[in-house]
Structure formats: structure tokens, C-alpha cells
Amino acid sequence: MRIILSEDNEILRKSLSFFLESKGFTVDQFSDGKDALDAIEANSYDLILTDINMPGKSGMEITQYVRESLGSDIPIIIFTSSGVEQTELDSFDIGANEFMAKPVSPAVLLVRINKLLKTRL
């Protein structure tokens, strides 16, 4: 299973990537939303993990592009440090499957990933 991880916090990005790779996933990681979007267009992924506030393109822009321009139903989980309820509602409105507040628990993330990927198989 191939995951794209778009997160500008280097420590979080590297630690989540290491954790997911230890669970058998292949992870392509990006610190810039535009670079992540270019990779999504060029490659086939099973899951998108993205921070909402990214340089280049935001997680919201990535989600909207994947849903509307690419017409893809690939599962998307959005991370944010924002505690604003409207942000979570907006994420679901544009097509995110899951929304997780930071700090992200790797164990909870794994449960959500497995749940999303099982429903696609």
C-alpha cells in the first residue's frame, strides 16, 4: 500500500513516515503541498495524508483538486492544529474522509487508515 504524506512539520512528517513504513506501508513524503499535488498527479496512491496548512498548496486545495479535477475517491485524511469546528466541517464538505487534530496519535492514525483501506478493497 502506497501513501502520500504531505506535512510541513519535519519532525511529525518523519516520525509518521517511519511509523507507517514499520507497519509495511510505502510512504512518499513532502513538505510542500504543490510538490505533493504534482506527485498525486503522476503516481497512484492508496491514501493521502495531508496537513491543512501547507506551503504551496493547502490540504484543503489538495483535497478539492483530487475530488473535483481528478475525480478520484482515494481516501484522504486531513491533519490540523486548528481547534475550529468549522474547519473540520469544511474538510468533510470538500471530500475528506477523516479529520485528525494534532498532535496525531500514530496508533489512532493506523486504525483510521486500516478502516478506510478495508472499505475500498
Side-chain angles (χ1 to χ4, degrees), residues 2 11-12 14 25 56 59 61 64 84 93-94 104 108 116:
R2 191 169 179 193
I11 294 169
L12 179 59
K14 288 184 174 182
F25 294 99
E61 289 172 304
Q64 196 164 19
V84 180
D93 282 347
I94 62 167
V104 174
V108 172
L116 284 173

Side-chain angles (χ1 to χ4, degrees), residues 93-111:
D93 282 347
I94 62 167
N97 299 87
E98 287 281 352
F99 184 91
M100 293 183 70
K102 291 181 186 178
V104 174
S105 159
V108 172
L109 176 61
L110 185 62
V111 168

Side-chain angles (χ1 to χ4, degrees), residues 18 30 37 43 118:
F18 178 80
F30 296 89
L37 201 52
N43 299 285
K118 273 187 194 142

Side-chain angles (χ1 to χ4, degrees), residues 20-62:
L20 293 169
E21 287 173 349
S22 77
K23 300 299 179 188
F25 294 99
T26 300
V27 180
D28 292 350
Q29 48 178 308
F30 296 89
S31 60
D32 182 278
K34 172 81 173 83
D35 295 340
L37 201 52
D38 290 344
I40 290 166
E41 289 181 314
N43 299 285
S44 177
Y45 291 99
D46 298 296
L47 178 77
I48 297 170
L49 303 175
T50 183
D51 183 19
I52 205 163
N53 293 315
M54 294 284 300
K57 294 278 185 189
S58 73
M60 299 286 262
E61 289 172 304
I62 290 171

Side-chain angles (χ1 to χ4, degrees), residues 83-101:
V84 180
E85 180 183 26
Q86 191 59 48
T87 304
E88 186 171 356
L89 294 171
D90 291 346
S91 297
F92 288 124
D93 282 347
I94 62 167
N97 299 87
E98 287 281 352
F99 184 91
M100 293 183 70

